[in-house]
Amino acid sequence: MRILFTGGSGKAGRHASAYLRDQGHRVINLDWVVSDVPGITTLKVDLTDAGQVFNACQAYAGIDELEPGTGVPRYDAIVHFAAIPAILHRPDNETYRINTLSTYNILDAATRLGIPKVIFASSETTYGICFADGEKAPDYLPVDEEHPTVPQDSYAMSKVVNEVTARSFQARSGIDIYGLRINNVIEPHEYVELFPAFLDQPAMRRRNIFAYIDARDLGQMVDCCLKTDGLGYEVFNVANNDLSVGLTNAQVIERFYPNVPVRREMGEFETFYSNDKARRLVGFAPSYSWRDALPSADSGR
């Protein structure tokens, strides 16, 4: 496929775009920063400028596309990961403005230009837990896509707005638009760097609902969405299958969630950030775990 990937120079985007490249897709990165991923071409674009977005969506992907003499090919899909990635990077109003306006421009361009699929990055923060003022527990476990999305912060607010915007563009156009509520992205080298502390101090993972997503498995999820047509508008939780701490589910519940309803029986180390919908509808099958990177860790700590 010929894919326009926004934010391909970021932490999540670098790995996801590389995964798509390895699957044989042609990936063009739209970003402020040039990607250092081999085989990924970058076009520097301000996504809050609608003119630049519309132009980029109709641009050649490379000099080689001039050869047939048949004009600019249409992109098969847009993967939209570009965003201010969290609170405290920019003033709150700028985070909100950039994230919502860039997403509007991408969706507007895709639907007007006949690009048949958009996959966009939403966030775990939409559930209002990650950046809450003080300690906030989920309404129930495991957290699925039906859980209320009522956040307090500008970043998560922008992601909720983007989901509403995407649903409206899908209703107008009928194309496939899939939102990925991505959990805390972990790069391969971060297992050794970060997880020993998570095992020693599991409370560090409370704001992430004790979940995570390996950056490589995130790439697989994007590819699964590219290969799955006809769902219309959907949002998916994206997380690995297991907890990001060495405790069992029962131990986490006893220590952190004693009054939170548990809606179904769960596996001993199963993630509280349910990925059931992604596995069922698009065939997502995450294959990485911190337990493989840290095989000597005490998994029952």
Side-chain angles (χ1 to χ4, degrees), residues 155-213:
Y155 172 78
M157 289 176 197
S158 75
K159 294 296 186 176
V160 172
V161 168
N162 288 346
E163 291 185 2
V164 174
T165 302
R167 181 188 286 274
S168 295
F169 270 109
Q170 194 284 326
R172 175 196 296 182
S173 66
I175 71 170
D176 284 340
I177 302 179
Y178 306 157
L180 309 184
R181 290 177 180 166
I182 301 168
N183 202 276
N184 180 211
V185 177
I186 300 295
E187 297 180 270
H189 66 88
E190 291 184 310
Y191 289 115
V192 173
E193 295 176 2
L194 301 178
F195 274 68
F198 298 163
L199 301 185
D200 286 338
Q201 304 174 64
M204 293 175 65
R205 302 302 293 165
R206 177 180 55 76
R207 289 184 177 273
N208 302 104
I209 319 178
F210 300 92
Y212 69 105
I213 177 64

Side-chain angles (χ1 to χ4, degrees), residues 3-292:
I3 299 166
L4 205 59
F5 196 118
T6 78
S9 302
K11 179 179 182 179
R14 291 182 70 258
H15 291 273
S17 63
Y19 186 96
L20 299 181
R21 175 207 60 195
D22 292 346
Q23 306 311 303
H25 302 297
R26 182 164 193 171
V27 182
I28 303 301
N29 175 38
L30 302 188
D31 209 316
W32 289 331
V33 178
V34 174
S35 174
D36 60 0
V37 178
I40 304 294
T41 301
T42 300
L43 184 64
K44 290 187 176 181
V45 175
D46 178 357
L47 297 175
T48 65
D49 183 321
Q52 291 188 42
V53 172
F54 272 78
N55 188 292
C57 289
Q58 300 174 88
Y60 291 104
I63 295 295
D64 59 294
E65 290 190 341
L66 297 171
E67 293 301 320
T70 54
V72 182
R74 186 185 70 180
Y75 278 99
D76 297 301
I78 298 178
V79 180
H80 176 47
F81 272 30
I84 304 303
I87 61 171
L88 306 179
H89 287 263
R90 297 284 187 94
D92 287 344
N93 59 326
E94 270 297 276
T95 297
Y96 185 88
R97 181 188 70 85
I98 291 170
N99 288 358
T100 55
L101 186 55
S102 61
T103 301
Y104 179 93
N105 288 341
I106 285 291
L107 291 167
D108 192 29
T111 53
R112 290 181 188 273
L113 298 174
I115 298 171
K117 178 171 290 185
V118 178
I119 299 161
F120 71 97
S122 187
S123 172
E124 62 171 320
T125 64
T126 56
Y127 295 117
I129 295 165
C130 188
F131 297 137
D133 183 12
E135 184 171 343
K136 187 177 188 308
D139 288 3
Y140 58 83
L141 297 171
V143 174
D144 59 19
E145 292 81 357
E146 300 304 313
H147 188 285
T149 53
V150 189
Q152 301 175 10
D153 63 283
S154 64
Y155 172 78
M157 289 176 197
S158 75
K159 294 296 186 176
V160 172
V161 168
N162 288 346
E163 291 185 2
V164 174
T165 302
R167 181 188 286 274
S168 295
F169 270 109
Q170 194 284 326
R172 175 196 296 182
S173 66
I175 71 170
D176 284 340
I177 302 179
Y178 306 157
L180 309 184
R181 290 177 180 166
I182 301 168
N183 202 276
N184 180 211
V185 177
I186 300 295
E187 297 180 270
H189 66 88
E190 291 184 310
Y191 289 115
V192 173
E193 295 176 2
L194 301 178
F195 274 68
F198 298 163
L199 301 185
D200 286 338
Q201 304 174 64
M204 293 175 65
R205 302 302 293 165
R206 177 180 55 76
R207 289 184 177 273
N208 302 104
I209 319 178
F210 300 92
Y212 69 105
I213 177 64
D214 187 286
R216 296 161 292 184
D217 282 325
L218 175 57
Q220 182 219 133
M221 177 60 183
V222 174
D223 196 44
C224 286
C225 289
L226 289 171
K227 293 174 178 175
T228 304
D229 298 328
L231 298 182
Y233 174 78
E234 292 289 352
V235 292
F236 298 99
N237 285 351
V238 187
N240 283 81
N241 292 328
D242 58 338
L243 299 171
S244 62
V245 295
L247 303 174
T248 65
N249 281 56
Q251 290 169 326
V252 173
I253 290 170
E254 180 182 12
R255 188 180 302 188
F256 299 100
Y257 298 143
N259 300 312
V260 177
V262 180
R263 291 192 166 184
R264 63 167 173 80
E265 185 175 343
M266 301 184 67
E268 186 178 17
F269 299 107
E270 181 184 344
T271 179
F272 290 124
Y273 195 78
S274 175
N275 61 16
D276 292 352
K277 183 179 178 182
R279 291 190 285 116
R280 184 178 73 254
L281 292 187
V282 302
F284 179 49
S287 57
Y288 294 97
S289 171
W290 65 266
R291 300 172 197 276
D292 300 322

